[in-house]
Amino acid sequence: QVQLVESGGGLVQAGGSLRLSCAASGRSFSSYGMGWFRQAPGKEREFVAAISWSGGSIYYLDSVKGRFTISRDNAKNTVYLQMNSLKLEDTAVYYCAATGRGIRRVSDGYDYWGQGTQVTVSS
């Protein structure tokens, strides 16, 4: 069992920045691929970014590429999502997820989920 806790969400103006963190429990964090997903009201959960256990493979949703950066610090059992140039359409609950398999761009590829952190972008 892996427990994930997101933090760093909040209210930010369009064009601003926010950094999300996801702290993982256990002693095997470095064995897991990690992903970020988001879900806006009335919308389906969508893939945002993922990073392999080694950090050697990284994927992004096209609409966030160049604005968001996923990274991980295995010594701290933490994965980050740095979000710059935020847009109104980035407003959503952001979820951290972990997989013991290879990283994927679909939610059913992940085994463990955090409870989410709200990101609200205002005009």
Side-chain angles (χ1 to χ4, degrees), residues 51-65:
I51 185 168
S52 65
W53 67 270
S54 67
S57 296
I58 295 176
Y59 304 136
Y60 291 104
L61 176 68
D62 284 345
S63 64
V64 309
K65 197 172 299 181

Side-chain angles (χ1 to χ4, degrees), residues 6-121:
E6 303 96 335
S7 62
L11 177 65
V12 64
Q13 287 188 285
S17 297
L18 210 58
R19 188 176 77 160
L20 306 184
S21 298
C22 174
S25 67
R27 300 168 63 87
S28 300
F29 174 76
S30 63
S31 298
Y32 288 86
M34 303 295 297
W36 286 98
F37 292 76
R38 67 187 182 187
Q39 188 167 20
K43 301 289 185 63
E44 297 293 323
R45 184 173 297 184
E46 69 175 346
F47 168 83
V48 177
I51 185 168
S52 65
W53 67 270
S54 67
S57 296
I58 295 176
Y59 304 136
Y60 291 104
L61 176 68
D62 284 345
S63 64
V64 309
K65 197 172 299 181
R67 299 189 298 120
F68 291 10
T69 302
I70 188 171
S71 62
R72 67 188 297 160
D73 187 338
N74 290 343
K76 297 180 179 179
N77 290 348
T78 301
V79 63
Y80 305 96
L81 186 68
Q82 177 68 46
M83 304 185 293
N84 298 327
S85 301
L86 282 161
K87 304 175 180 180
L88 294 179
E89 54 263 42
D90 294 319
T91 295
V93 176
Y94 283 71
Y95 297 91
C96 176
T99 177
R101 300 159 287 174
I103 55 173
R104 301 171 64 184
R105 295 172 57 92
V106 293
S107 60
D108 62 3
Y110 293 80
D111 304 303
Y112 306 101
W113 295 82
Q115 291 191 301
T117 185
Q118 177 71 49
V119 172
T120 302
V121 183

